[in-house]
Amino acid sequence: MTARTLRADLPAGIVALTDRRTARRPLPEVVAAAVAGGVRWVVLRERDLPRAERVALAAELRAILAGVAGTLVVAGPDPLDGDAVHLPAVGPYPPPVLPLVGRSCHDVTELGRITTEDYVTCSPVYPTRTKPGHGPPLYPDGLVDLIRASPVPVLALGGVETPDQVRACVAAGAVGVAVLGALMRAADPETVAATLTAAHRAAGPVGHRAARPASAEQQAVTPAGGER
């Protein structure tokens, strides 16, 4: 597959996934704390809520993110009055036409269905308490294989709770790490977000293209000093 150019307006860094059932505080409070700790991307799940309640929650979270120029992505095909969605592996296909579309993937077969999506999550990287038994886990070596097979940038997802795990995902080539349990269950989500964000920044700009061998054409036009 041919990798697309890495855009600046795609999810990166630490991406928070919501789960009000495991959150130790009201969801807007947890998201606000994560944003204070450096998170700039949030994926709103809560797909069991009635649409009207979900629209109101999306508006509240967007207001929190607006102060830091952050972005809310909505799980499912309905953007809830926004312009960014994250789709499950099962569909819909083709994806809706929106400015930002992501999709969950777990193997090479699912990655092979990617068409106009902008990014994917690959999971589970590690065993996860949120979905016990879900897997088998990829671990960093398996994540590397999927990143190399992916035509779009990859967020690592599943069981990431520590700075070492964040660094391992970045070293594998992930442009960011999606985190649910470590933030939702935290007594101090701001500190957790800050710690994981610092680990991601310290890991350096590895990212999607750096984990993939450059084509002869890319090598010919890339300056000796690094990326274009």
Side-chain angles (χ1 to χ4, degrees), residues 4 6 29 39 42 52 63 65 79 92 106 125 145 149 157 179 185 189 208 213 217:
R4 302 178 194 171
L6 188 58
E29 291 184 21
V39 166
V42 176
L65 286 158
H106 310 87
V125 181
D145 292 340
L157 168 64
V179 178
R185 289 190 289 264
H208 182 249
E217 180 182 359

Side-chain angles (χ1 to χ4, degrees), residues 54-150:
R54 210 163 171 243
V55 167
L57 180 56
E60 189 171 3
L61 299 187
R62 286 191 187 104
I64 293 169
L65 286 158
V68 295
T71 301
L72 183 74
V73 182
V74 177
D78 181 354
L80 304 179
D81 300 333
D83 57 11
V85 296
H86 185 88
L87 307 173
V90 295
Y93 292 96
V97 179
L98 290 167
L100 181 65
V101 178
R103 190 179 295 278
S104 298
C105 291
H106 310 87
D107 54 41
V108 172
T109 298
E110 293 175 352
L111 287 170
R113 300 189 189 116
I114 296 301
T115 55
T116 60
E117 292 90 334
D118 300 297
Y119 74 92
V120 296
T121 57
C122 286
S123 66
V125 181
Y126 297 100
T128 168
R129 287 186 283 168
T130 302
K131 293 184 178 180
H134 183 58
L138 296 166
Y139 295 108
D141 286 347
L143 180 61
V144 167
D145 292 340
L146 293 191
I147 288 172
R148 287 177 173 163
S150 176

Side-chain angles (χ1 to χ4, degrees), residues 190-207:
E190 180 177 348
T191 296
V192 172
T195 300
L196 298 182
T197 296
H200 184 275
R201 289 174 178 163
V206 178

